Amino acid sequence: MISLFFYAFIVSITILMVVIFLTHKYQLFIDKSDTIKPQNFHTDNTPRAGGIGVLGGLIFVSTLTLGFQFLLSIFVAFLSGIFEDFHNSLSPKLRLVLQVFTALSAIFLTNAVVTYLGLGITMPYWVGVIFSVFAIVGMMNAINIIDGFNGLASGIILLILTSFALTSYKTGDHQILSIISIAAGSTFGFFILNFPKGKIFLGDGGAYLLGFVVATIGIMLASNYADVSPWYIIAVFIYPVWEVIFSIIRKLTIGLSPLSPDAYHMHMLIYRQITKNNPLTTLFILTTTAPFIAYATFVHNQSKTNMLISCTFIICYVLLYYYLYKKDRRSP
């Protein structure tokens, strides 16, 4: 497993260093620092093609039993975002269609379907397919939403993968553990170039790719093992998942479209009102989220406890959000 992590890491970071050189030379995939948008927190023109390196590292998945099936879905997940990074050429509807196709391909090629919700609740297979598609597509977009500061999205992904690695080790599933090792090595190659200096950004392609990978692994764990509660997966995903849900509710209550960008996500408020620093914002969120993920990992087979973990996180999030929001509105 360590060798798979190392190989994926070397391939990922090597590709990314080449990408950084070429994108600056030919001005491809460049996120300009003077672009006016809510999540513009960088001062240098930076390539947003980090997903290319992550995808390169993930080629080692092809050496596994599930390899080629999983690799096809991985490639489509990446494509659903890379065109946006390149030319802003995909409409939201077309992007959603690609994401749904990605989710369906993963479900039918790897049989990753959640039908048991814990607490004695079981869904019919067709309902499980719809639920699983919704979960995968939702997580792809959730990771993209939190990708606002250096190392934030990739740091959360690494925390999630660490939790999944421990859980898959306990279940004795070396196949899933191998996929996790490769995904972690690929992500870490990007992380050390993105945090703290932000030499390259993940981009939509990379964010959708990583969201897809962790969502599919989570579904595989929950669907294959009775002692892995689906609520454990939710508890581990709770920060990006709740960020999306809360954002939708917040925008609808003030008459905005859920798809419209704004400057009031939690990570933006933390930046403006607490850290006032890009990498420190990431450290703040990672260190406050990690205990919830760690506790969920130790009780991965307990649905009620993981429900409590998720609810506790949500309460803490909402209280902190409204405190920071009111403070931000009073700021000159």
Side-chain angles (χ1 to χ4, degrees):
M1 304 306 168
I2 295 176
S3 61
L4 287 174
F5 175 93
F6 181 74
Y7 294 147
F9 166 76
I10 292 298
V11 170
S12 176
I13 196 169
T14 301
I15 291 174
L16 287 170
M17 287 190 291
V18 173
V19 167
I20 291 171
F21 172 77
L22 292 177
T23 52
H24 280 294
K25 182 176 181 180
Y26 296 105
Q27 293 298 294
L28 299 171
F29 302 104
I30 295 294
D31 194 343
K32 295 183 178 180
S33 60
D34 58 357
T35 302
I36 299 175
K37 55 183 179 179
Q39 296 211 52
N40 190 354
F41 296 100
H42 57 288
T43 56
D44 299 317
N45 293 341
T46 307
R48 43 183 291 120
I52 295 175
V54 177
L55 181 67
L58 285 169
I59 61 172
F60 287 99
V61 170
S62 64
T63 64
L64 308 176
T65 305
L66 288 174
F68 288 108
Q69 300 98 309
F70 199 53
L71 198 60
L72 171 63
S73 303
I74 285 171
F75 186 68
V76 179
F78 174 72
L79 287 180
S80 70
I82 194 63
F83 290 116
E84 189 74 10
D85 296 323
F86 190 46
H87 276 310
N88 296 319
S89 56
L90 287 184
S91 68
K93 288 184 179 179
L94 180 55
R95 193 160 59 245
L96 181 60
V97 167
L98 280 175
Q99 291 171 356
V100 170
F101 175 79
T102 300
L104 286 172
S105 66
I107 288 169
F108 291 115
L109 291 175
T110 67
N111 197 31
V113 181
V114 173
T115 55
Y116 180 65
L117 296 179
L119 305 177
I121 302 172
T122 302
M123 299 181 293
Y125 181 81
W126 67 270
V127 177
V129 169
I130 295 173
F131 179 85
S132 300
V133 168
F134 181 81
I136 293 172
V137 172
M139 194 61 182
M140 290 171 71
N141 286 279
I143 297 301
N144 194 41
I145 285 177
I146 67 168
D147 185 26
F149 291 96
N150 296 346
L152 179 54
S154 54
I156 290 294
I157 291 294
L158 287 171
L159 289 178
I160 291 171
L161 289 173
T162 300
S163 174
F164 285 171
L166 292 171
T167 302
S168 61
Y169 178 78
K170 291 177 184 177
T171 63
D173 193 324
H174 296 291
Q175 180 77 2
I176 295 180
L177 185 57
S178 296
I179 294 174
I180 294 168
S181 300
I182 293 167
S186 303
T187 305
F188 189 62
F190 167 79
F191 180 81
I192 64 174
L193 290 176
N194 178 245
F195 181 85
K197 296 297 184 180
K199 299 295 184 184
I200 188 169
F201 295 156
L202 198 53
D204 288 355
Y208 291 151
L209 172 60
L210 289 180
F212 163 77
V213 168
V214 294
T216 305
I217 292 172
I219 290 174
M220 291 169 70
L221 282 171
S223 61
N224 290 345
Y225 299 98
D227 62 343
V228 176
S229 168
W231 287 98
Y232 153 66
I233 308 300
I234 293 174
V236 170
F237 287 166
I238 190 61
Y239 164 55
V241 166
W242 180 246
E243 179 67 40
V244 171
I245 295 172
F246 184 78
S247 176
I248 292 172
I249 296 171
R250 174 174 58 81
K251 291 177 181 178
L252 288 176
T253 55
I254 59 176
L256 290 178
S257 166
L259 299 178
S260 61
D262 69 359
Y264 289 97
H265 289 288
M266 173 65 94
H267 51 274
M268 299 176 181
L269 291 176
I270 291 172
Y271 172 81
R272 290 197 297 268
Q273 299 302 325
I274 298 180
T275 64
K276 305 184 188 304
N277 178 276
N278 189 321
L280 282 182
T281 301
T282 293
L283 288 176
F284 181 94
I285 295 175
L286 292 182
T287 53
T288 52
T289 303
F292 292 93
I293 294 177
Y295 189 25
T297 306
F298 289 121
V299 292
H300 66 272
N301 59 339
Q302 300 179 27
S303 293
K304 291 182 179 179
T305 304
N306 277 291
M307 291 173 69
L308 181 60
I309 291 170
S310 301
C311 290
T312 302
F313 178 90
I314 290 171
I315 292 169
C316 294
Y317 178 106
V318 172
L319 291 175
L320 178 60
Y321 185 91
Y322 279 109
Y323 168 76
L324 295 177
Y325 180 79
K326 290 180 179 179
K327 186 178 179 182
D328 190 75
R329 298 293 286 181
R330 292 194 298 265
S331 300

